[in-house]
Amino acid sequence: VKPNSLCLNLAVKAQCSTKDRKEGQMSAFEAHRYLLKVVDDYKEGRIDVLPDRIGFNTVINCWANTRHWKKTAKAEELYDLMQQLSKKGGENVEPDCYTNALMLKIFARSPKKNATNKAQKFFDSIDPQDLDTAAYNSLLSVWAEAPKENEASKQNNLSRILKTFQELITSSNPDEISFAIVMKACTILSNDVGERESHLRRLFDDACKKGLLGQGALKTLRFSIPEERREEVLGYSLKGKLDKKWTLNLKATSRN
């Protein structure tokens, strides 16, 4: 019986099925080796089918969930391989929006000093048509978690976040996660109380208008703005039941 893409995808998934951190790192290496062996078998004509992008994304996600220092290089190797195979006629192996979001997630969690700039360069290389909200949120997280060595770097990170968020609003649709990330970043990175409150008021207004005031944003607002100042800063105390319009477009899981 000849394997098909589904069989190969399931075999890859089986290699990644563990929640233990140490075993997870071993699983990532094993799944990576297995995937490369399958690709080699395909190139040598021993099989006539490849795992599709689901199989590749499974291994990249496996790397994203480990803390191994090689995970960025390993994920980049698979991403490049997907592009190469696609250009040579491989079916359904071209990176998609989920692949891009996974790669940005890996960059965001990398301890390397150049990880932030690599993430931005990677993001800029993606075809605008392939950019979705998840990719923008991942880049926002990259800059929010970037090193904050001094005031200048903090301001640079905040500037990048606000610029990226504006691009997201212009070219795609933010979600409640987008607002939560940016609000938290403004709380941490703003120069002073006045700047922080100004950003939070604008973001609060925008989130309410779009019906995207989720629990993450509310938690940041309540933490960042003292209870006695909320009416002055936001125009609302955030006590009691919220206006239904503010949460109209939240995902069902975010309403609780």
Side-chain angles (χ1 to χ4, degrees):
V1 179
K2 290 185 177 181
N4 57 24
S5 292
L6 177 59
C7 292
L8 294 173
N9 288 343
L10 290 173
V12 168
K13 185 177 181 181
Q15 300 279 344
C16 299
S17 299
T18 179
K19 293 184 179 180
D20 180 85
R21 193 175 82 183
K22 188 174 180 179
E23 289 183 6
Q25 291 184 357
M26 292 175 62
S27 294
F29 278 102
E30 290 169 4
H32 193 99
R33 282 193 293 267
Y34 174 78
L35 188 54
L36 293 184
K37 181 183 180 302
V38 171
V39 171
D40 186 59
D41 287 344
Y42 173 79
K43 288 180 177 179
E44 295 297 324
R46 290 188 285 270
I47 58 174
D48 57 7
V49 67
L50 283 165
D52 58 25
R53 67 173 62 89
I54 294 175
F56 282 86
N57 285 347
T58 298
V59 183
I60 293 175
N61 185 54
C62 195
W63 283 118
N65 291 321
T66 73
R67 296 181 182 179
H68 198 280
W69 63 276
K70 286 187 176 181
K71 71 178 184 178
T72 304
K74 291 292 186 181
E76 287 180 304
E77 180 185 7
L78 294 183
Y79 189 91
D80 291 342
L81 183 57
M82 292 173 76
Q83 292 182 313
Q84 292 167 18
L85 291 170
S86 177
K87 288 176 182 177
K88 291 182 179 179
E91 293 185 7
N92 301 318
V93 291
E94 186 176 4
D96 61 4
C97 293
Y98 182 58
T99 323
N100 294 333
L102 285 173
M103 292 300 299
L104 288 164
K105 178 181 176 181
I106 289 171
F107 285 124
R109 295 179 177 179
S110 172
K112 295 184 178 180
K113 286 187 176 181
N114 66 340
T116 307
N117 290 327
K118 284 187 73 172
Q120 184 67 58
K121 186 176 180 180
F122 175 83
F123 182 89
D124 292 339
S125 72
I126 300 172
D127 187 323
Q129 293 182 342
D130 294 330
L131 290 173
D132 63 355
T133 304
Y136 275 101
N137 286 349
S138 296
L139 185 64
L140 289 169
S141 293
V142 167
W143 284 107
E145 297 172 23
K148 309 164 187 64
E149 298 169 352
N150 50 47
E151 287 301 319
S153 64
K154 286 173 64 176
Q155 282 299 295
N156 176 66
N157 294 356
L158 181 57
S159 175
R160 290 276 193 168
I161 289 166
L162 295 174
K163 179 176 180 290
T164 301
F165 186 67
Q166 188 56 48
E167 290 174 1
L168 169 58
I169 290 177
T170 302
S171 60
S172 189
N173 293 313
D175 60 13
E176 63 269 24
I177 297 172
S178 315
F179 280 101
I181 294 170
V182 179
M183 284 186 185
K184 186 175 181 179
C186 288
T187 297
I188 296 170
L189 301 174
S190 293
N191 262 336
D192 52 47
V193 174
E195 181 185 36
R196 180 175 71 236
E197 291 182 348
S198 175
H199 287 315
L200 292 177
R201 173 59 192 257
R202 178 175 55 80
L203 291 165
F204 171 73
D205 287 344
D206 288 346
C208 290
K209 288 175 184 176
K210 293 180 178 294
L212 292 171
L213 188 66
Q215 290 300 315
L218 281 169
K219 183 178 179 180
T220 296
L221 290 168
R222 287 168 176 155
F223 172 81
S224 306
I225 305 173
E227 187 175 331
E228 65 272 12
R229 286 189 48 74
R230 289 175 197 158
E231 284 280 1
E232 179 183 347
V233 176
L234 303 175
Y236 299 91
S237 66
L238 301 183
K239 289 182 178 180
K241 211 167 185 180
L242 300 177
D243 190 320
K244 288 184 179 180
K245 293 179 181 178
W246 296 357
T247 59
L248 186 63
N249 295 315
L250 293 180
K251 297 172 185 175
T253 53
S254 302
R255 297 177 188 277
N256 300 328

